[in-house]
Amino acid sequence: MAVARTRSVALAGVTGRIVEVEADVGNGLAGIHLIGLPDTALSEARERVRSAVVNSRYPWPDARITVSLFPASQPKRGSQFDLAIAVAILGAAGMVPADRIAEPFFLGELGLDGRLRPVRGVLPSVLSAAGYGDITVVIPSANATEAALVPGVKVVPMADLRQLVEWLRTGDEPPELDAHHPKEPPPSIIRPAVDLSDVVGQPVARRALEICAAGGHNLWMLGPPGTGKTLLAERLPTLLPDLELDHALEVTAIHSVAGILPLDSPMMSRPPFVAPHHTATVAAITGGGSGVVRPGAVSLAHRGVLFMDEAPEFPRHVLDSLRQPLESGHVTVSRAAGSVTFPARFVLVLAANPCPCAQPQDQSESCQCTPTIRRRYLGRLSGPLLDRVDMKVTVARSSRRELMADRQFVESSETVALRVLAARERAAKRLSATPWRTNAEIPSAALHADFRPSGQAMRPLTACLDSGTLSARGLDRVIRVAWTLADLAGKDQPQHDETGMALALWLGMNT
């Protein structure tokens, strides 16, 4: 009887922390005792581990078993520690060599029959473990594809506890992965079954969508129902380029922690699209939970699009919760046990009807909403929130003649996406010496120090700033959109035309 130790990973949001699992099998009243701030799910591991060991036809030590999870001051949650606890106990009991379990990381939940069940958050856990050099990670076979996405890590997939124990005893080569797993997003992907050419009669809104995709800017669309606001928002992801490898790993890690990552094809190479319902709570939007803190819609939309349809129907405090992540690119959820930070850099698209009855305000319709009702309805979108929206577009109903005339100018998503990609490459080349990749990410200080347009181009902006029409934050956002317009036009600097158009889009003037 002795002490054996191994390693596992505890997740706090999408950040993993190394946990050392120690087991002592010694004299005393028979039983298993867990120490190290375990939660309810982890405390129940005592019964799962015992049943798994016995049903795998290994003797259970008839002694006092103490399992310590270090650091003891850090709360531990979840069932992913089951495998590490079982292996540490077997090592302390002499059933597996203690030296063979000291270095690898063990992640997985145990079934009562000894099977290894998949767990959430394998990718961020393995990414955190990979920071310790060339490591070996033992995980359930169902999580093998996800774990193999991390380069430089030796992944050992196991189907059950007995297979793992026999491998530890014999020292044979570990079982190989069932198939080849790519280390980077595939170069060609299957595009969604929607296309920008489906939207006819809204040339200004389509142009605004292209600008959003090229620079990562936020958009507000105002108009009656049936004009294509939802169609436009759903087609924005088709204009965005594929995620780069580091961004793809970020997005995949968030969805892994949320438990919505497909096990068969885990790498997310396309920007996500998230459209929460207007009944969503603040916790559903920003993240939260009573026990384990889960990412919210703003984090699930990281590096993608967050679409809020019928935005005034959302509670005002829910809409205002977007202000901090829109500015900082991350969201921090604070609870009594500690704080968890999730990345949340997304393109926000808001869609709204002009009034509660959603009828056009012309002579042919019967809108009965007074100006006070319309103002109160749109007033749910607070000024500070709209000040963080780069472009505001009015989407009106089109006549039959306008629809017929616009069909010859409609472009496919593939055509527009090529222009977006070229504009992003120009921006990336200009920002190559900085940590930013799109114009929307440039902070205010750097924007005015290194990327300020010429004096003539700034003239309409300074005039609006002096008159109070434009706030200091709005000035920054107009300059960023002007840079995106210059990138789309192939110019080295924003000119008077780009700054004027960016200003008109920020003010909501469709020119």
Side-chain angles (χ1 to χ4, degrees), residues 94-144:
M95 284 180 274
V96 296
D99 58 334
R100 293 212 61 198
I101 65 173
E103 294 301 323
F105 288 81
F106 294 87
L107 296 167
E109 178 181 334
L110 283 172
L112 298 183
D113 57 356
R115 287 182 297 173
L116 288 183
R117 303 182 184 276
V119 293
R120 297 180 176 184
V122 166
L123 178 59
S125 298
V126 177
L127 281 170
S128 300
Y132 286 75
D134 296 333
I135 55 126
T136 299
V137 180
V138 181
I139 42 87
S141 298
N143 291 125

Side-chain angles (χ1 to χ4, degrees), residues 118-301:
V119 293
R120 297 180 176 184
V122 166
L123 178 59
S125 298
V126 177
L127 281 170
S128 300
Y132 286 75
D134 296 333
I135 55 126
T136 299
V137 180
V138 181
I139 42 87
S141 298
N143 291 125
T145 307
E146 180 182 348
L149 297 174
V150 183
V153 174
K154 184 178 181 181
V155 179
V156 181
M158 290 291 172
D160 54 49
L161 182 61
R162 186 167 187 83
Q163 181 187 15
L164 172 60
V165 172
E166 295 306 315
W167 171 66
L168 291 172
R169 281 178 170 179
T170 60
D172 296 336
E173 287 296 319
E176 298 181 354
L177 299 180
D178 295 335
H180 174 71
H181 303 285
K183 299 298 182 181
E184 59 184 19
S188 61
I189 52 91
I190 299 176
R191 298 281 178 177
V194 295
D195 197 272
L196 189 61
S197 59
D198 301 333
V199 185
V200 181
Q202 300 297 343
V204 175
R206 293 201 305 270
R207 175 63 172 169
L209 219 63
E210 179 179 347
I211 299 170
C212 282
H217 305 291
N218 304 319
L219 174 65
W220 179 35
M221 293 182 289
L222 177 66
T227 54
K229 300 188 297 295
T230 302
L231 291 178
L232 286 162
E234 290 174 345
R235 281 144 185 81
L236 178 56
T238 67
L239 309 182
L240 297 174
D242 292 347
L243 296 173
E244 299 178 15
L245 179 58
D246 55 343
H247 290 173
L249 289 175
E250 285 181 357
V251 174
T252 305
I254 295 170
H255 284 72
S256 175
V257 170
I260 57 176
L261 192 67
L263 293 176
D264 54 346
S265 180
M267 176 63 88
M268 297 186 63
S269 61
R270 291 295 300 161
F273 178 81
V274 180
H277 194 260
H278 63 262
T279 58
T281 62
V282 172
I285 297 297
T286 61
S290 57
V292 179
V293 177
R294 301 295 185 196
V298 296
S299 298
L300 296 177

